Amino acid sequence: MTKEEILKQLAICVERGKVNKTAPFPPDLKEQDGADELTRLALEQGVAADEILAEGLVTGMKIIGVKFRDNKVFVPEVLMAAKAMTAGMNHLRPYFQSGAVKHKGTFIIGTVMGDLHDIGKNLLGMIVEGAGWKIVDLGIDVSAEKFLASLEENPGGFVGLSCLLTTTMLNMEKIVREIKAVKPDTKVLVGGAPVTDDFKSRIGADWYSPDPQGAVDYLNSQMAI
Ligand code: B1M
């Protein structure tokens, strides 16, 4: 296989959620190499880790992110895509950790204080990681203090807050205001089922999107600034 063929097939594997050769899903790709084997093959052929990430894994994840936004695929497909992406990332991670390849930036995410819903936040993390960003996932029930401590450890990081309850929207506002009071230059993104663009503006956050792909688009747009 040529480099181009490997990367194209790798993107298909992520989009379709084909983890490795033995994975039975999706049935039409049965017994074919998955993201695991193809990432390894690309590295063996001397393709740079950042190229494998951008042209293979991220390309596949971007397609699934857009399809998810457009309601053409649903949560299970995104989870399978993330699994395939992880299989590939396992081979690339050492290159990123060694500093040989750079992330686009850091995205610190968490579900706000008082809120335990994390399925949407986890999807957000997978899709943004799939776009080449380092994810620092603080989990659920996260206070302003924890976000601020993480910003100390990750200077210049972007912050993403998720909430699913109308009651915890109040905590979202509190966290945005506390982050802005201490670190006014920090860009804060908000999302979750009850959140709206109007609410985002009222609480002083920088950005809102109903879906993770919007977060990717915003974060990527900020790189050039
Ligand atoms: Co809860 N729950 N829940 N729940 N739960 C809802 C949210 C609810 C709407 C159900 C209902 O009454 N119809 C309701 C909220 C009502 C309201 O506030 N108006 C509710 C309630 C009331 C509660 C409890 C209070 C119930 C109780 O104990 N009496 C309790 C609260 C616990 C707490 O948080 N303190 C509770 C508990 C739970 C479970 C633990 C059982 C479980 C959570 C498990 C988990 O997350 N690990 C749960 C679940 C699963 C749900 C429903 C069924 C599904 C939520 C979900 O995961 N959706 C939900 C009802 C429903 O939505 N049908 C419900 C799928 C997920 C992919 O979507 O999170 O919206 P979502 O994320 C989307 C977008 O919003 C966006 O991207 C994602 C993908 O598109 N997005 C972002 C999210 N964050 C983003 C951030 C971004 C950008 C995009 O940038 C930063």
Side-chain angles (χ1 to χ4, degrees):
M1 280 171 105
T2 64
K3 176 177 113 177
E4 286 70 29
E5 285 167 343
I6 297 172
L7 295 178
K8 192 172 167 210
Q9 190 59 22
L10 186 53
I12 291 171
C13 285
V14 172
E15 183 196 342
R16 305 284 319 280
K18 176 73 176 168
V19 178
N20 57 30
K21 195 167 186 165
T22 55
F25 179 84
D28 61 305
L29 297 182
K30 208 173 164 189
E31 285 168 21
Q32 291 186 29
D33 282 347
D36 180 22
E37 292 83 7
L38 290 169
T39 306
R40 224 171 36 213
L41 180 65
L43 285 170
E44 280 164 12
Q45 292 206 3
V47 186
D50 53 352
E51 199 175 351
I52 299 173
L53 181 69
E55 305 302 326
L57 301 176
V58 171
T59 301
M61 202 52 150
K62 193 167 179 192
I63 296 170
I64 204 84
V66 171
K67 283 187 171 173
F68 185 53
R69 182 192 63 198
D70 297 343
N71 292 323
K72 290 184 177 147
V73 298
F74 301 96
V75 172
E77 284 95 333
V78 179
L79 294 178
M80 286 312 294
K83 220 172 159 189
M85 171 104 195
T86 304
M89 276 304 289
N90 287 341
H91 297 294
L92 301 186
R93 200 157 282 123
Y95 295 84
F96 284 92
Q97 284 170 343
S98 71
V101 178
K102 295 262 176 286
H103 283 105
K104 290 179 179 171
T106 302
F107 190 37
I108 302 163
I109 59 170
T111 304
V112 301
M113 203 164 50
D115 202 320
L116 308 179
H117 297 85
D118 67 357
I119 298 169
K121 183 264 300 167
N122 294 343
L123 287 171
L124 171 76
M126 290 171 196
I127 291 175
V128 176
E129 183 181 27
W133 288 75
K134 175 183 167 192
I135 300 296
V136 177
D137 187 347
L138 301 179
I140 51 173
D141 194 20
V142 185
S143 63
E145 290 70 29
K146 280 193 191 156
F147 281 108
L148 285 166
S150 183
L151 277 167
E152 285 297 324
E153 288 169 20
N154 300 282
F158 291 74
V159 172
L161 308 178
S162 179
C163 85
L164 260 282
L165 300 172
T166 43
T167 48
T168 54
M169 288 171 83
L170 297 172
N171 296 341
M172 181 175 261
E173 174 169 8
K174 194 167 170 281
I175 292 169
V176 172
R177 295 204 187 284
E178 287 186 33
I179 291 173
K180 290 288 185 181
V182 180
K183 292 196 178 285
D185 293 337
T186 303
K187 297 286 184 207
V188 183
L189 292 69
V190 293
V195 179
T196 62
D197 197 52
D198 178 52
F199 179 71
K200 169 221 82 184
S201 303
R202 276 190 283 129
I203 66 174
D206 297 283
W207 172 94
Y208 158 78
S209 159
D211 52 67
Q213 190 56 39
V216 170
D217 295 343
Y218 175 82
L219 290 167
N220 286 344
S221 76
Q222 293 300 300
M223 285 178 62
I225 294 171

